[in-house]
Amino acid sequence: TAIDVNDTYGSLVMDLNRDVGAAYQYRETFDLVTNSGTGEHIFDQGAVFRNAHQLTEVGGLMIHVMPFVNYVNHGFYSFHPNLYHALASANRYQILGLGIATRDGRGIISIPNQEAPRLSNFLSRGPEVEIELLLTEPKVPRRRLPHGWVESLAARMPGASRKQRFGLHVHRLLVHARKILVFAILKKSDAADFVVPIQLRYADDIQGDAL
């Protein structure tokens, strides 16, 4: 079943800027909901994630594959790994996989839930990393010769910062492809209503239960 603004491929014609339950009385749920290059074209991002939440049955999976680096003017937005981490935290989703990758399957993946089914074959080429690396601001090497080589070597050292290591992964992917996607595989754990996340870097700043 697909939801789109036209029925060219037999899609259900709905505006994903709107709550599909309230606006269209559509209350079907699924064990798998995919957002593979759809959400960036929708203006109301809150509605996109709220609809995905409502369309997924308890115990079901949501897979988001969205633009991350160099998708200039492809859609309204580009996305970042920390968004899905915050989304999962607010809604008690289990993160089964979070990472960045090129379209041909090169990338890195974090699988923080060690009890989850292994997804090592999700990427054709790429290592597993700790989730904290994906939540840093990458320090990308600025030049290849000779300074970039020095930075790349430093990023491989045991004492390298997460920013350096993440930057090296981004740099390596950009060598193979000019565009990088971010992906998240999330499992819905309960039937609670959708909760709007706050970026977790500011979570300690919240004053008062109402906020």
Side-chain angles (χ1 to χ4, degrees), residues 3 19 24 43 51 56 59 61 64 76 105 109 132 150 168 179 181 185 192 195:
I3 296 175
D19 182 314
Y24 303 102
F43 180 78
N51 281 323
T56 306
L61 302 183
H64 299 274
F76 287 146
I109 185 172
E132 288 78 12
V150 175
L168 178 60
K179 296 179 179 180
L181 298 157
I185 307 169
V195 176

Coordinates of all heavy atoms in Angstrom, one line a residue, residues 3 19 24 43 51 56 59 61 64 76 105 109 132 150 168 179 181 185 192 195:
I3 N 1.0 5.7 -0.2 CA 0.2 6.9 -0.1 C 1.0 8.0 -0.8 O 2.2 8.1 -0.7 CB 0.1 7.3 1.4 CG1 -0.7 6.3 2.2 CG2 -0.5 8.7 1.5 CD1 -0.8 6.6 3.7
D19 N -2.9 14.8 9.0 CA -3.1 13.6 9.8 C -4.0 12.7 9.1 O -5.2 13.0 8.9 CB -3.6 13.9 11.2 CG -3.8 12.7 12.1 OD1 -4.3 11.7 11.7 OD2 -3.4 12.8 13.3
Y24 N -8.6 11.7 6.7 CA -9.2 10.8 5.8 C -9.8 9.6 6.4 O -10.2 8.6 5.8 CB -8.0 10.3 4.9 CG -7.4 11.4 4.1 CD1 -6.1 11.9 4.5 CD2 -8.0 12.0 3.0 CE1 -5.5 12.9 3.9 CE2 -7.3 13.1 2.3 CZ -6.1 13.5 2.8 OH -5.5 14.5 2.1
F43 N 6.2 19.3 3.4 CA 6.5 20.5 4.2 C 6.4 20.3 5.7 O 7.3 20.7 6.5 CB 5.6 21.7 3.8 CG 5.9 23.0 4.6 CD1 7.0 23.7 4.3 CD2 5.2 23.3 5.7 CE1 7.3 24.9 5.0 CE2 5.5 24.5 6.4 CZ 6.6 25.2 6.1
N51 N 2.3 10.5 11.2 CA 1.6 9.5 10.4 C 2.3 8.1 10.3 O 1.7 7.1 10.4 CB 1.5 10.0 8.9 CG 0.4 11.0 8.8 OD1 -0.7 10.9 9.4 ND2 0.6 12.1 8.0
T56 N 2.0 2.4 11.9 CA 2.8 1.2 12.4 C 2.1 0.6 13.5 O 1.8 1.2 14.5 CB 4.2 1.7 12.7 OG1 4.8 2.4 11.7 CG2 5.0 0.4 13.0
G59 N 5.0 -3.3 17.7 CA 5.9 -4.4 17.4 C 6.3 -4.3 15.9 O 7.2 -5.0 15.5
L61 N 7.8 -2.3 12.3 CA 9.0 -1.5 12.0 C 8.8 -0.3 11.2 O 7.9 -0.3 10.3 CB 10.0 -2.4 11.3 CG 10.5 -3.7 12.0 CD1 11.5 -4.4 11.1 CD2 11.0 -3.4 13.4
H64 N 13.3 4.5 7.7 CA 13.5 5.8 7.0 C 14.8 5.8 6.3 O 15.8 5.5 6.9 CB 13.5 6.9 8.1 CG 12.2 7.0 8.9 ND1 11.1 7.8 8.5 CD2 11.9 6.5 10.1 CE1 10.2 7.7 9.5 NE2 10.6 6.9 10.4
F76 N 12.6 19.6 0.3 CA 12.6 20.7 1.2 C 13.7 20.7 2.2 O 14.2 21.7 2.7 CB 11.3 20.9 1.9 CG 10.2 21.4 1.0 CD1 8.9 20.9 1.2 CD2 10.4 22.3 0.0 CE1 7.8 21.3 0.4 CE2 9.3 22.7 -0.8 CZ 8.0 22.2 -0.6
G105 N 25.3 1.0 -1.1 CA 25.4 0.1 0.1 C 26.7 0.3 0.8 O 26.9 -0.4 1.8
I109 N 27.0 1.6 10.1 CA 25.8 1.3 10.8 C 26.0 1.1 12.3 O 27.1 0.6 12.7 CB 25.1 0.1 10.2 CG1 23.7 -0.1 10.9 CG2 25.9 -1.2 10.4 CD1 22.9 -1.2 10.2
E132 N 27.3 6.7 19.5 CA 27.8 8.0 19.9 C 28.5 8.7 18.8 O 28.5 9.9 18.6 CB 28.6 7.9 21.1 CG 27.9 7.6 22.4 CD 27.5 6.2 22.6 OE1 28.0 5.3 21.8 OE2 26.7 5.9 23.5
V150 N 47.2 13.6 6.4 CA 47.6 13.7 7.8 C 46.4 13.6 8.7 O 46.3 12.9 9.7 CB 48.4 15.0 8.1 CG1 48.6 15.1 9.6 CG2 49.6 15.1 7.3
L168 N 36.1 11.1 9.0 CA 36.8 10.2 8.1 C 35.9 9.3 7.3 O 36.0 9.1 6.1 CB 37.9 9.4 8.8 CG 38.7 8.4 8.0 CD1 39.4 9.1 6.9 CD2 39.6 7.6 8.9
K179 N 26.8 11.9 -2.9 CA 25.6 12.0 -2.1 C 25.6 10.9 -1.0 O 26.0 9.8 -1.3 CB 24.4 12.0 -2.9 CG 24.3 13.1 -3.9 CD 23.0 13.0 -4.7 CE 22.8 14.2 -5.7 NZ 21.6 14.1 -6.5
L181 N 23.1 9.2 2.2 CA 21.8 9.0 2.8 C 22.0 8.7 4.3 O 23.0 8.2 4.7 CB 21.0 7.9 2.1 CG 20.7 8.1 0.6 CD1 20.4 6.7 0.0 CD2 19.5 9.0 0.5
I185 N 16.2 2.2 11.3 CA 15.3 1.1 11.4 C 14.8 1.1 12.8 O 15.6 0.9 13.7 CB 16.0 -0.2 11.0 CG1 16.7 -0.2 9.7 CG2 14.9 -1.4 11.0 CD1 17.6 -1.3 9.4
A192 N 1.4 4.0 22.7 CA 1.2 5.4 23.2 C 1.1 6.4 22.0 O 1.6 6.1 20.9 CB 2.4 5.7 24.1
V195 N 4.9 11.4 20.4 CA 5.5 12.5 21.1 C 6.5 13.2 20.3 O 7.4 12.6 19.7 CB 6.2 12.0 22.4 CG1 6.9 13.1 23.2 CG2 5.2 11.3 23.3

